[in-house]
Each structure stands twice: as structure tokens, then as C-alpha cells.
Amino acid sequence: MSKMHTSATQALQDLMADGLTIAVGGFGLSGIPADLIDAVRESGAKDLTIVSNNMGVDGKGLGVLIEAGQVRKVIASYVGENKLFAEQYLAGKLDVEFTPQGTLAERLRAGGAGIPAFYTRTGVGTLVAEGKPLEEFDGVTYVRERAITADVALVHAHTADTDGNLIYRYTARNFNPVVATAGKVTIAEAEVIVQPGELDPNHTVTPGVYVQRLVQATARVKDIEQRTVRPREAVRA
């Protein structure tokens, strides 16, 4: 069965429903599956639980789902760039589960590996550990964290083959690989798509067995959260 789909909208159309848990790759606005996020917005699905490193910024990235009122709960490690997110959270319209960044990555990795839970020292003695089981190992206290498995996982790769093998570039490699393994259905968008056998297996990060659907990513300007520049010095003759 071919994994290729004609568009992000077509790849998602039979999956979207209210109440889904969706894991989304990327770090800040880097390496996010922008086409797939837009397709989620177009679907109109509501009461979504979004699992991601962050929630984008106002009007960009996952921020568009916040604007559309489609998100009920967020599991994330950083949300400081999104003003509307903060407003909805403080108004009690949004349920937020803050998770330390390394713990979030491991919860996703564990979900993809079939590990239901694990213990970590991160968060012990803080609000992060409230209500969670604690266990002592070799005289050290650890908190138990549950793995995350999403109904749908959305990732962005730089290069893919039509079998779904994925290669990421730079910052996009932070969360996309663990998100890709944690979905019951994983959809990847890729900037470059080649035929099977054209990727060096030694460079493949996500094996195609984890990816059920694949779409060609739309060429677009890659946004950053805050752009800081300085004037160019005058060129002397």
C-alpha cells in the first residue's frame, strides 16, 4: 500500500475527530509540520489534546489551533511565546500539563517503545511530582511518569523516501523522531521525497515502519519566534 498522499488535508481527512490526542514535532517554530497543522485547523476538530514541546506563537505554528478554539488540553514543556495561550489558560479555558522538557521527550520515546511508565529524578520535590507515585532506588527518590501514546502524530522531515524512512535537519531532529514513534498513526511531511533505495540507511533517523502516511511539504518561509538583526556596516570602496 502506498504511503503517499496528495496533500496534508487528504492525509488527515479520515482521521480527524473531536477529542483526539495529537503529538506534534518541532522545536519552537523550527521543524514543525506546518502543512499538517494547517490541515488540523481546516478539519474543525475540537476538544483536542496537543502534545508538543511548545505551542508556537500567536498566529503561527500550533498557535493557529489555539486561535481557532480547537484545543482543550496541552501537554508541553514551554509556552512562553504565545499570549493567547496564556490568556486562555489564566481564564480557565485551557487545561495545561507542564512537563520538564527531557521528561516530555522520554514520555514520548517510552510510548513509542511500548514502555508504559518510567522513573526519573526530575521534578521530585516540586509541583511536577504532585499526585504521582514516588519510589526510592539506592537511597534516591524518583517520580513515576507515564508514557505518552497519541492517536495521531505529525512530524516534519527534510528528506523521506516513499517507504516513509525519514531524515531530519538541525533543530528539527530534537522532537520529531520521538513524536514519530509515539503515534498510533504517524503522518510525515517532507521537503524532499525520493524513491526507495536512494537514502543511505546509515543516515535514516526514523525507519519507515513508524510512518503510515507521507505528504510533500509546501515550500514556505521558515519562521522564527524572535528575529534580531543589526544594521550592516557600510562597505568601503
Side-chain angles (χ1 to χ4, degrees), residues 90-176:
L90 294 173
K93 298 178 180 179
L94 203 57
D95 185 10
V96 180
E97 182 180 334
F98 287 110
T99 303
Q101 187 159 269
T103 301
L104 179 61
E106 183 63 9
R107 290 179 70 187
L108 289 161
R109 190 202 69 81
I115 299 170
F118 60 91
Y119 285 92
T120 176
R121 294 179 66 182
T122 304
V124 172
T126 73
L127 292 174
V128 169
E130 282 194 359
K132 299 175 183 176
L134 301 176
E135 189 74 33
E136 188 173 296
F137 297 94
D138 301 321
V140 179
T141 301
Y142 293 77
V143 58
R144 192 179 78 189
E145 295 282 358
R146 290 297 306 273
I148 295 173
T149 302
D151 296 305
V152 179
L154 308 177
V155 298
H156 178 96
H158 179 267
T159 307
D161 66 19
T162 54
D163 285 339
N165 297 298
L166 307 179
I167 296 174
Y168 310 96
R169 292 185 73 206
Y170 308 125
T171 308
R173 189 165 173 171
N174 278 322
F175 269 87
N176 277 298

Side-chain angles (χ1 to χ4, degrees), residues 161 165-168 173 197-207:
D161 66 19
N165 297 298
L166 307 179
I167 296 174
Y168 310 96
R173 189 165 173 171
E198 294 186 46
L199 294 185
D200 184 342
N202 294 304
H203 295 164
T204 296
V205 179
T206 297

Side-chain angles (χ1 to χ4, degrees), residues 4-159:
M4 288 297 303
H5 285 66
T6 56
S7 68
T9 299
Q10 192 256 335
L12 274 166
Q13 64 183 2
D14 64 328
L15 296 174
M16 295 308 301
D18 294 349
L20 291 180
T21 295
I22 303 177
V24 184
F27 192 84
L29 293 178
S30 298
I32 61 171
D35 290 352
L36 292 166
I37 292 171
D38 287 346
V40 172
R41 181 173 185 174
E42 292 169 8
S43 77
K46 298 187 180 299
D47 296 323
L48 301 175
T49 295
I50 301 296
V51 183
S52 181
N53 162 256
N54 72 101
M55 284 304 293
V57 302
D58 296 276
K60 295 180 181 179
L62 288 167
V64 301
L65 303 184
I66 297 290
E67 287 185 348
Q70 294 172 264
V71 182
R72 175 184 58 83
K73 180 178 180 179
V74 170
I75 302 174
S77 58
Y78 178 71
V79 293
E81 300 290 342
N82 194 311
K83 294 179 182 178
L84 183 58
F85 174 96
E87 291 175 6
Q88 291 190 10
Y89 171 58
L90 294 173
K93 298 178 180 179
L94 203 57
D95 185 10
V96 180
E97 182 180 334
F98 287 110
T99 303
Q101 187 159 269
T103 301
L104 179 61
E106 183 63 9
R107 290 179 70 187
L108 289 161
R109 190 202 69 81
I115 299 170
F118 60 91
Y119 285 92
T120 176
R121 294 179 66 182
T122 304
V124 172
T126 73
L127 292 174
V128 169
E130 282 194 359
K132 299 175 183 176
L134 301 176
E135 189 74 33
E136 188 173 296
F137 297 94
D138 301 321
V140 179
T141 301
Y142 293 77
V143 58
R144 192 179 78 189
E145 295 282 358
R146 290 297 306 273
I148 295 173
T149 302
D151 296 305
V152 179
L154 308 177
V155 298
H156 178 96
H158 179 267
T159 307

